[in-house]
């Protein structure tokens, strides 16, 4: 069975803000600040950190194979074994409940992996509920059903 894969870019204004911040910092960095003509190393460290954040959080990926559903940004991923999934269904992502996009946690203990939009799938395990935003919640829910052995969500 072929794995399911989806890639979703983060919100465009978030990308724009990050690029603008990096560009502004780069202008400051290439302008000599002290008498020796060097920019402070702390600013270079901040620039490097912003670059790592940009590369890591540029896209969110969702993969499903015969063993697990994996969702995440860059090197930060959550692997949910299919054997732990008890329920799944299309759901609406609440920006207010989770406080933004990215990897978020709500007060009720649920977690969200969100790159953009309000459409998603709620995946329930014994531990918690995960909300995963997607371009097509029906397709993601069908993919989970397919990999769960054709079962429909309870």
């Amino acid at each position: 069975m072929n794995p399911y894969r989806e890639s979703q870019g983060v919100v465009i204004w978030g990308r724009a803000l990050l690029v603008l911040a990096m560009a502004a910092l780069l202008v400051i960095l290439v302008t000599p600040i002290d008498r020796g003509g060097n920019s402070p190393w702390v600013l270079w460290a901040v620039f490097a950190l912003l670059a790592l954040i940009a590369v890591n959080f540029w896209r969110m990926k969702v993969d499903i194979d015969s063993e697990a559903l994996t969702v995440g940004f860059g090197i930060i991923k959550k692997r949910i074994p299919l054997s732990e999934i008890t329920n799944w269904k299309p759901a609406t992502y609440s920006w207010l409940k989770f406080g933004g996009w990215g990897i978020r946690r709500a007060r009720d203990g649920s977690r969200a992996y969100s790159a953009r939009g309000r459409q998603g799938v709620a995946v329930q395990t014994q531990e918690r509920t995960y909300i995963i935003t997607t371009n097509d919640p029906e397709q993601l829910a069908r993919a989970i059903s397919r990999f769960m052995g054709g079962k429909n969500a309870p």
Side-chain angles (χ1 to χ4, degrees):
M1 189 177 322
N2 292 333
Y4 171 88
R5 289 190 170 25
E6 180 180 358
S7 180
Q8 192 180 51
V10 298
V11 291
I12 193 72
W13 61 264
R15 287 180 176 191
L17 282 174
L18 193 54
V19 168
L20 284 173
M22 289 178 63
L25 189 56
L26 190 57
V27 167
I28 292 169
L29 286 170
V30 297
T31 305
I33 294 176
D34 64 12
R35 292 179 195 197
N38 298 316
S39 297
W41 67 268
V42 173
L43 292 179
W44 282 106
V46 170
F47 181 78
L49 181 63
L50 282 176
L52 286 173
I53 289 170
V55 168
N56 194 70
F57 287 95
W58 204 254
R59 295 199 139 310
M60 183 180 83
K61 293 183 181 179
V62 179
D63 294 317
I64 307 173
D65 60 26
S66 60
E67 296 179 11
L69 180 153
T70 305
V71 59
F73 294 87
I75 62 170
I76 302 172
K77 297 178 181 162
K78 174 65 179 173
R79 184 177 185 277
I80 306 168
L82 296 181
S83 61
E84 293 181 11
I85 297 175
T86 59
N87 194 8
W88 62 95
K89 64 182 176 183
T92 301
Y93 174 75
S94 172
W95 192 88
L96 293 174
K97 177 180 178 179
F98 290 99
W101 290 283
I103 301 170
R104 313 299 291 185
R105 182 171 173 241
R107 290 182 184 205
D108 64 2
S110 59
R111 301 270 168 90
Y113 288 80
S114 175
R116 66 170 183 253
R118 296 188 46 141
Q119 299 180 53
V121 172
V123 176
Q124 179 73 44
T125 67
Q126 292 290 341
E127 266 183 35
R128 69 178 38 97
T129 299
Y130 298 91
I131 305 291
I132 302 166
T133 61
T134 177
N135 294 325
D136 188 344
E138 297 293 334
Q139 182 180 357
L140 179 55
R142 280 192 306 272
I144 294 170
S145 294
R146 183 170 52 113
F147 283 97
M148 293 290 289
K151 294 188 285 186
N152 289 324

